[in-house]
Every structure is written in structure tokens, then in C-alpha cells.
Amino acid sequence: MTATESLEKQFDETIARNDRIEPRDWMPEKYRKTLIRQVAQHAHSEIIGMQPEGNWITRAPSLRRKAILLAKVQDEAGHGLYLYSACETLGVSRRELTELLIEGQQKYSSIFNYPTLSYADVGTIGWLVDGAAICNQVPLCRTSYGPYGRSMIRICKEESFHQRQGFELLATMMRGTDEQRAMVQESVDRFWWPALMMFGPPDADSPNTEQSMAWGIKRDTNDELRQKFVDMTVPQAEALGVTLPDPSLVWNEERGHHDFGQPDWDEFMRVVKGGGPCNAQRIAHRRHAHEDGAWVREAATAFAAKGASA
Amino acid sequence: MTTESGFHDSVYDEDLLGGDASHWAFGTSFEDPLAGVDTTIPDGVDPEELAAYCLMLGDDALIYSHRLSEWCSRAPDLEEDIALANIALDLLGQARLLLARAAAASPAVVPAMPEGSPVPPEDALAFFRPDAQFRSTRLVEPDNGDFAVTIVRLLLFSTWRLALLERLASSRDQVLAAIAAKGVKEVTYHRDYAGRWFLTLAQGTDESRSRLLAALPPVFAFHEELFTDHPVETSVAAAGVGVAPSDVAAEVAVILEQVFSVSGVERHDVPQIGPVAGGTGRDGRHTEALSHLLAEMQSVARAHPLGVW
Ligand SMILES: [Fe+2]
Ligand SMILES: [Fe+2]
């Protein structure tokens, strides 16, 4: 056995035991690359995801809601921070990753390319988008790469508060005026299908799933997670008193799951490729913040260097 | 290593979606800093004046919190995004307590709402008051400008506010005293944060230093207004429940002098912003920026006066 083969064998055994790979462990180059792609995409999603809800911070209709929303968006910045740190253990810096994002070379979750058009969207994003994120992310708490899995445990706890806060906002609005109820329904109508798209294309069309599952980077297929999300959400929608905009949504006694319709996958591909309602706007916003802040980051670096040499 | 399904189910069902309400962000299980505090108005204090004074301090916090929250997702780095949001959240918390105290001291200050409106007094005050009834000092109203302007304004504001709150912590009004005691801890951090960045920008690069120097005149133009006593402030100070800002001018000057000298920045007198028809922010005479800010802040609440959020 060559040295590489024996390292590979050790790596495979660690994965098979469901143990974690740590930054100083040997790992196949493709595993490292796949992880960087996944963790960076996740970090970017947290940061870009600040924008759609951040859009309503200055207009939150009560001081309590303003505090909850600002704290939530701040949490997302914190999530981005942990995930960029996890990514840095794989040998890429936050700055490099941010530049790849604003050059369009790395992706983020397509859900954030949809606009927030009413205050109800703040609740709907918490309920459905953070809810879908939880379904995607809870299995990642057991992902094979240690720093990623540990960040996910912390992040998942906070995402679940976000989901409940979103649900609680919608439930409160549903007890309010007719106009408020209509706002909630309209918002759920807009976000339902994009939320289902968050789990990615159907398994048959998902090229990376198989290898990622074998490496323990991913733990469930897209379709399994989507099913779990639908099953979890239907009773919550009933409790809220909103209708999910899918005429084929029905409980299937035999399967013990809900049957449901397929999102418009052509729309999904269009948004992924940059043709969603807000793709350009989200990247431009991030680019401005990054470029406008360059002189401040440079000042901090220069100041720290003076301190070190003094 | 736990088994696949065991681990999965426990994290998912109990920790994440279970019934532990203590983990909701504040708003639902947020600790009431006024729990157990005596809310009666002290002898010899005019409730109208106490309410007006609470609005002054509350509006400063509310409007400045709003401005700082505008940095969210736009700050120079993630750490700064988080820190500025933290400061905005602290001030928002102070604003809520102060507006609620104003409403309790004198319900007449709360705008009349339509029959059946569920809007609580703190929100009626924040979202349904016209700009001329706000009593914020003009320093907190203009746009944020760049990060240097933001830091200079935060330094001036937090140094001033900390000095006020430190004295207010021994107010005869138990509620104001409790709000101030909580605020002292928060604003101490705000001032330290601003001071550290002031030094960093002053000593960082040529660009950061020149931006910092350029930020001084527009911010310090509001300096005089901060230390000019309004008749309400004079009166609540005499009654032992409030603080006259002129009383803290000297100690604020000492702190600012320390920050400037450590940073190697000279402090020059700059032209001061004059009053409008004899009045300033405390009289409801504001900058042009305030009504724009309020138009945005109040838009959703005003569209739904019977709404519940
Ligand atoms: Fe998040
Ligand atoms: Fe979240």
C-alpha cells in the first residue's frame, strides 16, 4: 500500500465510523474542494440573506417587532461569521470568499433572490425559509467535517428561534384585521414554491448528491428533505389558518406522507443562473458594502501592524 | 457516536422544535428591567414635565437607534455589522422603556388612536406622533454618512449620554433610576467601541485619518445644542428627577479631550448649528432629515392603525 492509499483508507474508515474529520487530518483534495464550495455557499447565504429581511428593519410596525427583526438579522451575520471561520480552517480566507461571491463565482441560496414586498414577508421568511433551512441543516450537525458540524449545531438552535418568531408574527397578524390576514396569505402564496425549491432539484437531477452522501457531507437527499419539510409545514399552516397554494397537496395514508406538486423547475434554473428578480441587486448591495468598507478594514490592519511593531 | 436516527430525532424534535420558550429572542421572554420598581411619581414632580423629559431621552435613543440600524448588512466588516446592530438594539431597548414611562407619567402625551386600536402606548408614541412632537436632539437625526462620521457621532453621543445616565441613576424617580442604571452599562460599551475606532481611524492610514478629520465639523456642529438646558430639563433637574445637560459639559469635555489626545487629533471649535425660530430639537424644531426618517419608520404602522403585530 502506498502512503496515499493508507491515508485514504484511514479517511474512509473515519467516515464509515461516523467520526469527524478535523482540520489537521489528511483529506482527499476533492473532499476539501467540495466542502469549501458547500460551506462557502452556506456562509454567503447567511450574509446575502440579511438583505431581504433587513429591507424592513426601518419600517417594522412596532418597537417590539423592530427589536426582534434587528436581532434576527444580526444573528444571520453571526452565522456567516462562524461559517466563514469554518471555511478558513480549509485554507481560504473570508476576503477571498467574499470576492468570489461578488464576482459571481460562488453561489448562495436562490431564495434570497426573491423580493420582500410586505411586512408579512418577515414572518413568512422566518416560518418557511428558516424552517426549510432547519430541515436542510439539522442533518448537517452530523456532517463529517468537524468545524462545519459544530457551527451547524449552534446555528440550528438559532434558526429554530427564527422560525418560531416568524410563525408567531404570522399568527399575531392572523388575529388582526382582514387586511393583515390578506397580507399573510399573499405572502405565503409568493414564498411557498421558492421555499420548496430550497432543497434543490429532484434527486434524479442532482449531480453532486451521491458523492456528498458517500463522504458524509450530506446526510439526506433533496427529495427526502423536501418531504420532511412539507409534512412538518402542513399542520402549521392549518394552525395558522392559511392555505398553501398547491391544489395537489393531500395526505397519502399509504405512504404516511403528504403528496404534493412540483415547483416550477424552469423558474428555479432561471433564478440560479442569475435571472431572478433580485440577483443583481443582492450582489450589488454586497459589493457596495465590501468596497465602501475597504478603507476601514485597511485602517484597522495598518493600526494593528503599528501596534505590533511598537 | 450515537446512532443515526437517535441523534437526528433528539436534536430535531426536542432541542429545536420543542417547547423551551426561554430561547425565543426578546419580546416574548424578555426580562422586564422594571419588575418590582416603584412606579409612583415622586412628590413635587410635575407629571407633564416628567413625561416630556422621558420623551427627550427616549426620542434621542429611538432616532439614533434607527440611524444605526441602517448600517445593518452595509458595515465595513461582519464584526462591525454585529456591533452596530448591538448598539442599535441597546438604544431601542432604552427608548421602549422611556416612552412607556412617558406614557405612564402623563397619558395625555400619547396620540389618540381610533376606537378599538390595539396599539400600545410605546408604539402610539413612536409611530403616530408627528415630527414636531418629537423631542430628539438634532445630533441624532442626519444620515449616517461614512463610517468616520458614524464613529465621531457615536463618540460624541455616547460620551454625552453616558454622563447623563450616570447622574440619572440616582434620580428620585425610581423608574428613571432603574432605566439609567441599565443604560450605563450599555452606553459604557458604546463609548468604548467608538473610542477604539476613533483611535484606529486616526492612526490607521492617511485616508482614514483624513476622513476622520473631515467628519469632525459636521458632527461637532451639534455640540452646543447638547449642553444647552431646555426649561423642562432645568425644572426636572431642580426636582431631583432629571439632569441638566449643562451640568455634565465639563466632564464630557475631559473625556473627549482624552480620546482626542491619545489619538493625536486636535480639537478645534467649529461653527455651531443655530436654532430655528428660537427653538431646537427639544422644542420640536428639527433637521430636515427627521421627517424623512419618520415617514419611513412610521409607514407600515400608520397604514394599519387597527393592526396588531
Ligand atoms: Fe442563519
Ligand atoms: Fe435564520
Side-chain angles (χ1 to χ4, degrees), chain A:
Chain A
M1 204 156 50
T2 68
T4 311
E5 277 166 356
S6 104
L7 286 168
E8 252 172 40
K9 187 160 169 286
Q10 265 179 27
F11 174 85
D12 290 341
E13 283 166 1
T14 307
I15 299 279
R17 283 196 310 272
N18 274 340
D19 268 353
R20 303 267 207 207
I21 305 294
E22 294 300 335
R24 280 192 278 176
D25 295 343
W26 182 89
M27 61 188 83
E29 194 49 27
K30 263 193 77 188
Y31 172 89
R32 200 179 71 89
K33 286 224 168 90
T34 304
L35 260 176
I36 291 175
R37 186 176 59 90
Q38 185 175 333
V39 182
Q41 180 165 334
H42 191 164
H44 298 328
S45 300
E46 300 286 355
I47 299 306
I48 297 289
M50 296 169 71
Q51 294 179 34
E53 287 185 277
N55 180 38
W56 288 93
I57 290 171
T58 55
R59 291 174 292 169
S62 77
L63 297 181
R64 174 172 167 266
R65 288 294 171 198
K66 203 181 179 77
I68 290 174
L69 180 58
L70 182 54
K72 183 199 166 172
V73 178
Q74 184 196 34
D75 281 350
E76 307 301 0
H79 298 171
L81 202 58
Y82 315 147
L83 289 164
Y84 284 125
S85 305
C87 229
E88 285 181 334
T89 66
L90 293 160
V92 263
S93 70
R94 194 200 301 177
R95 204 198 72 209
E96 290 171 288
L97 294 170
T98 300
E99 279 159 12
L100 288 169
L101 169 69
I102 62 185
E103 296 307 327
Q105 295 182 45
Q106 283 184 340
K107 298 205 177 306
Y108 55 90
S109 177
S110 276
I111 190 76
F112 301 123
N113 291 318
Y114 290 90
T116 50
L117 301 177
S118 82
Y119 200 77
D121 289 1
V122 168
T124 307
I125 288 182
W127 176 41
L128 295 180
V129 174
D130 287 84
I134 293 168
C135 290
N136 266 330
Q137 292 171 9
V138 163
L140 294 175
C141 296
R142 295 173 301 127
T143 195
S144 58
Y145 188 59
Y148 187 29
R150 287 186 289 272
S151 333
M152 289 318 304
I153 290 171
R154 186 162 173 190
I155 290 172
C156 278
K157 294 205 168 157
E158 292 183 355
E159 299 299 6
S160 89
F161 314 147
H162 298 167
Q163 193 203 11
R164 289 208 251 184
Q165 285 166 346
F167 185 86
E168 193 252 341
L169 169 59
L170 297 182
T172 305
M173 290 178 71
M174 291 301 285
R175 289 197 302 273
T177 62
D178 288 344
E179 273 176 308
Q180 287 185 295
R181 277 185 285 278
M183 274 169 83
V184 172
Q185 183 63 57
E186 188 275 333
S187 172
V188 170
D189 288 346
R190 263 186 295 114
F191 272 99
W192 174 249
W193 293 111
L196 289 191
M197 294 177 196
M198 285 176 68
F199 300 94
D203 293 346
D205 307 325
S206 179
N208 298 317
T209 296
E210 206 182 326
Q211 178 65 77
S212 290
M213 302 247 319
W215 275 334
I217 294 174
K218 236 178 122 133
R219 292 287 187 180
D220 300 86
T221 73
N222 296 351
D223 286 333
E224 285 164 4
L225 291 168
R226 193 166 10 248
Q227 179 73 61
K228 190 181 291 239
F229 175 70
V230 171
D231 290 341
M232 174 182 98
T233 306
V234 168
Q236 294 172 348
E238 275 162 19
L240 271 183
V242 296
T243 309
L244 298 173
D246 179 358
S248 52
L249 183 63
V250 62
W251 175 251
N252 181 326
E253 190 67 56
E254 218 168 288
R255 292 201 305 122
H257 291 290
H258 294 86
D259 292 339
F260 56 97
Q262 285 294 310
D264 178 349
W265 292 114
D266 292 338
E267 177 181 311
F268 174 75
M269 285 317 298
R270 179 192 168 129
V271 178
V272 167
K273 287 183 180 148
C278 300
N279 299 57
Q281 176 190 332
R282 300 290 184 237
I283 290 296
H285 180 119
R286 187 72 195 95
R287 177 190 291 278
H288 278 142
H290 185 69
E291 290 175 355
D292 291 352
W295 69 271
V296 180
R297 297 189 302 276
E298 282 158 19
T301 308
F303 180 70
K306 282 180 193 167
S309 64

Side-chain angles (χ1 to χ4, degrees), chain A residues 17-20 47 50-51 54-68 70-71 73-75 77-78 80-81 84 94 119-120 131 134-135 138-139 141-142 153 156-158 160-161 163-166 168-169 172-173 175-177 179-180 183 219-220 228 232 236 285-286 289-290 292-300 302-303 306, chain B residues 1-5 7-9 11-12 15-21 23-28 62 65-66 69-70 72-89 92 95-96 99 122-123 126-127 146-148 196-197 199-201 203-205 207-209 211-212 293 296-301 303-304 306-309:
Chain A
R17 283 196 310 272
N18 274 340
D19 268 353
R20 303 267 207 207
I47 299 306
M50 296 169 71
Q51 294 179 34
N55 180 38
W56 288 93
I57 290 171
T58 55
R59 291 174 292 169
S62 77
L63 297 181
R64 174 172 167 266
R65 288 294 171 198
K66 203 181 179 77
I68 290 174
L70 182 54
V73 178
Q74 184 196 34
D75 281 350
L81 202 58
Y84 284 125
R94 194 200 301 177
Y119 200 77
I134 293 168
C135 290
V138 163
C141 296
R142 295 173 301 127
I153 290 171
C156 278
K157 294 205 168 157
E158 292 183 355
S160 89
F161 314 147
Q163 193 203 11
R164 289 208 251 184
Q165 285 166 346
E168 193 252 341
L169 169 59
T172 305
M173 290 178 71
R175 289 197 302 273
T177 62
E179 273 176 308
Q180 287 185 295
M183 274 169 83
R219 292 287 187 180
D220 300 86
K228 190 181 291 239
M232 174 182 98
Q236 294 172 348
H285 180 119
R286 187 72 195 95
H290 185 69
D292 291 352
W295 69 271
V296 180
R297 297 189 302 276
E298 282 158 19
F303 180 70
K306 282 180 193 167
Chain B
M1 198 73 202
T2 41
T3 64
E4 175 128 338
S5 64
F7 186 85
H8 188 103
D9 289 342
V11 170
Y12 199 80
D15 290 356
L16 292 182
L17 298 176
D20 182 3
H23 289 179
W24 287 60
F26 57 113
T28 45
L62 177 63
S65 166
H66 182 101
S69 78
E70 291 175 337
C72 189
S73 81
R74 295 177 175 85
D77 219 337
L78 294 179
E79 288 82 352
E80 271 43 71
D81 218 295
I82 292 169
L84 292 168
N86 248 334
I87 296 171
L89 279 165
L92 181 54
R96 291 178 66 184
L99 296 188
E122 64 171 34
D123 291 332
F127 298 101
D146 69 4
F147 190 71
R196 278 199 311 277
W197 269 110
L199 172 65
T200 303
L201 298 182
Q203 305 278 316
T205 61
E207 180 176 10
S208 69
R209 185 174 179 85
R211 282 180 185 255
L212 183 79
L293 182 155
E296 181 177 348
M297 184 177 98
Q298 298 179 335
S299 58
V300 179
H304 302 273
L306 297 175
V308 48
W309 303 99

